[in-house]
Amino acid sequence: MQIPGHIDPVPVPRAITPREDGRVDLLGLSRDQIRAELESAGLDAKQAKLRAKQIFHWLYHRGVTDFDAMTDIAKAQRPFFAERFVIGRPQVVEAQVSSDGTRKWLLRSDDGQDYEMVFIPDADRGTLCVSSQVGCTLNCRFCHTGTMRLVRNLTPGEIVGQVMLARDALGEWPKGTMAASDEDEDDDAPQYSPDGRMLTNIVMMGMGEPLYNFDNVRDALKVVMDGDGLALSKRRITLSTSGVVPMMARAGEEIGVNLAVSLHAVTKDVRDEIVPINRKYGIEELLSACAAYPGANNARRITFEYVMLAGKNDSDEDARELVRLIRHYKLPAKVNLIPFNPWPGAIYECSSPERVRRFSEIIFEAGISAPVRTPRGRDIAAACGQLKTQATKMSRAELDRLAEEKQAALG
Ligand code: SAH
Ligand code: SF4
């Protein structure tokens, strides 16, 4: 079957837009990159190393954006930094809070690209859903992001910036003084306490395919995991891929976070249709790469995401085949069943609740965990994979194209 759909858009690699005032934004840079910036600004190697370490800590551990707040840097030296550098944040276009506590932000880059992030609070954790690209090149047929033509990789600063902004919004930077400040010590300040925060987990499940922006995602997550900065454990970070097989081993080795795989179908025909990257890297290849994923074991299982599409991938037979595949490849796995979240122009419908329940039971009966993910933030269209929906008004041409595709797919 010829599957309708537009030609894959290509991400536009782009140099960081220089600021009009000529200053360099340090957000997203590693300690070494900050050191290199300080050296090119004229500091000698020893000074640059020391100041980079201090700035890194203020920037990522304390959430400071003003050099004047960096109390262990001599007052007289602070203007030197402020004249040459800034510590930025993504621009917030819109911030929404759902009745269930889910929050969604629409963000804008310096070159006017919009992307989103979502925060989902739960009883025992708070998960930030982070975007890796503006749009996505992969055109999964149930995913709204895949219909966006404009695609650009997000920079490490834009990826880390999402986490920083969430910490800002949740008011989660440690307060109080740090030891070893050489001036402006304030003995009355509250003691520093990093505990009890809401943002505990990160999932790379927003807009985009993280493994098609590998270097920036890796560099950003390294900054997020750095123990002297944001210090999120790799066990609390999950990267979701639609199945970019050649990059999966590197993801395990160079990033080492939990892996989620958007499987969504168990036969070649159906997966070719709904997750078109399957035509390049098939189910067998994908599951072999999962079996070889470094660090996967029973304590750290691979999550298979499975979006429930009525009459498409949700039969008892599909569920049994899923169990067979997981056993055949001896995968330490759990399955996340995701009720399909419709968007204007989508050609699928969500499976009925009874169907979802039965599908889940069959997998559970085989001893594999298969919870149904409750949709969150529906009133603000905050579901992962469905970002930017309400904020974007679709153009006439876009609506026409979707109608055309829908017609072709049904006919
Ligand atoms: N590109 C990566 C990560 C972003 S998508 C990937 O595909 O894995 C995050 C998850 O949301 C994926 O499992 C995706 O399949 C799912 N998703 C996308 N659109 C959806 C929709 N309309 N309803 C429910 N889940 C959706
Ligand atoms: Fe891209 Fe993931 Fe959406 Fe597929 S599901 S189009 S890979 S964002």
Side-chain angles (χ1 to χ4, degrees):
M1 169 180 133
Q2 177 60 45
I3 293 149
H6 53 82
I7 297 160
D8 280 4
V10 178
V12 186
R14 145 202 106 126
I16 293 171
T17 316
R19 289 172 54 90
E20 277 175 12
D21 63 9
R23 292 188 291 174
V24 174
D25 192 347
L26 299 179
L27 179 68
L29 300 192
S30 67
R31 208 181 281 94
D32 276 351
Q33 287 168 324
I34 296 175
R35 184 176 48 77
E37 289 293 342
L38 299 187
E39 279 191 34
S40 45
L43 293 193
D44 68 39
K46 197 164 159 246
Q47 266 283 313
K49 189 167 180 219
L50 170 70
R51 295 307 182 204
K53 187 172 186 293
Q54 292 168 317
I55 292 173
F56 185 92
H57 188 82
W58 284 110
L59 201 171
Y60 297 117
H61 192 77
R62 303 286 295 252
V64 160
T65 52
D66 182 356
F67 291 99
D68 242 346
M70 302 186 180
T71 49
D72 53 358
I73 294 177
K75 231 179 197 157
Q77 201 184 14
R78 292 178 210 159
F80 172 89
F81 295 111
E83 281 156 22
R84 291 164 178 78
F85 303 105
V86 290
I87 297 165
R89 289 290 188 267
Q91 184 194 334
V92 178
V93 183
E94 208 178 326
Q96 290 174 281
V97 183
S98 159
S99 49
D100 67 10
T102 303
R103 297 173 177 224
K104 182 174 83 163
W105 290 265
L106 181 66
L107 308 175
R108 183 161 297 160
S109 66
D110 293 339
D111 61 348
Q113 306 291 334
D114 290 353
Y115 54 104
E116 281 201 359
M117 64 171 194
V118 176
F119 178 72
I120 306 153
D122 273 310
D124 59 338
R125 66 174 66 184
T127 306
L128 187 69
C129 179
V130 170
S131 293
S132 57
Q133 297 182 308
V134 173
C136 183
T137 56
L138 285 171
N139 300 321
C140 298
R141 295 192 59 75
F142 52 84
C143 173
H144 186 247
T145 305
T147 67
M148 292 172 198
R149 265 175 217 240
L150 193 68
V151 180
R152 150 154 111 57
N153 284 334
L154 293 179
T155 63
E158 289 161 344
I159 298 168
V160 177
Q162 296 172 59
V163 185
M164 303 293 284
L165 205 65
R167 277 261 149 93
D168 290 349
L170 298 167
E172 298 207 313
W173 296 112
K175 306 264 183 325
T177 58
M178 284 192 301
S181 59
D182 57 350
E183 53 182 282
D184 288 356
E185 186 107 42
D186 175 1
D187 288 338
D188 296 332
Q191 279 314 296
Y192 158 84
S193 149
D195 301 319
R197 290 186 186 160
M198 282 172 78
L199 197 174
T200 59
N201 292 56
I202 290 180
V203 292
M204 297 299 302
M205 290 188 189
M207 292 168 67
E209 168 49 57
L211 295 188
Y212 271 178
N213 184 16
F214 185 83
D215 290 358
N216 290 351
V217 167
R218 175 200 54 208
D219 292 354
L221 290 180
K222 291 229 156 169
V223 168
V224 169
M225 292 188 284
D226 192 298
D228 194 33
L230 285 153
L232 263 121
S233 151
K234 64 179 183 179
R235 282 163 211 290
R236 292 189 167 272
I237 302 177
T238 300
L239 184 148
S240 174
T241 180
S242 57
V244 185
V245 169
M247 300 307 288
M248 284 169 57
R250 278 188 70 192
E253 278 152 24
E254 295 178 35
I255 315 177
V257 295
N258 302 320
L259 182 69
V261 171
S262 293
L263 190 62
H264 304 316
V266 289
T267 63
K268 175 168 166 51
D269 279 357
V270 177
R271 197 162 191 270
D272 276 357
E273 178 189 331
I274 66 178
V275 187
I277 196 180
N278 195 64
R279 291 177 245 164
K280 215 170 187 172
Y281 311 113
I283 293 175
E284 292 74 25
E285 246 180 293
L286 175 59
L287 296 182
S288 305
C290 290
Y293 187 74
N297 55 48
N298 274 326
R300 270 189 99 196
R301 287 174 293 171
I302 293 173
T303 305
F304 288 104
E305 290 156 284
Y306 201 97
V307 65
M308 301 299 297
L309 305 173
K312 183 51 74 179
N313 64 356
D314 62 350
S315 68
D316 288 1
E317 211 184 338
D318 288 322
R320 282 192 286 266
E321 177 62 7
L322 180 54
V323 169
R324 190 193 68 79
L325 285 170
I326 289 172
R327 285 186 176 152
H328 179 78
Y329 287 90
K330 301 190 173 61
L331 295 169
K334 56 187 168 188
V335 178
N336 255 348
L337 299 177
I338 317 170
F340 170 62
N341 217 331
W343 38 273
I347 57 171
Y348 302 110
E349 278 171 28
C350 185
S351 312
S352 69
E354 301 74 54
R355 189 88 291 274
V356 178
R357 203 170 315 127
R358 184 67 200 123
F359 197 94
S360 167
E361 271 167 17
I362 292 173
I363 302 169
F364 263 119
E365 281 160 12
I368 300 163
S369 159
V372 181
R373 229 167 61 177
T374 8
R376 298 290 302 270
R378 281 234 160 153
D379 51 339
I380 55 168
C384 288
Q386 212 213 265
L387 305 177
K388 208 169 149 182
T389 319
Q390 279 184 340
T392 319
K393 278 215 187 83
M394 272 196 252
S395 68
R396 189 66 248 165
E398 207 175 352
L399 287 169
D400 286 349
R401 182 173 57 80
L402 285 170
E404 224 173 80
E405 284 186 14
K406 186 170 180 174
Q407 208 50 47
L410 295 174

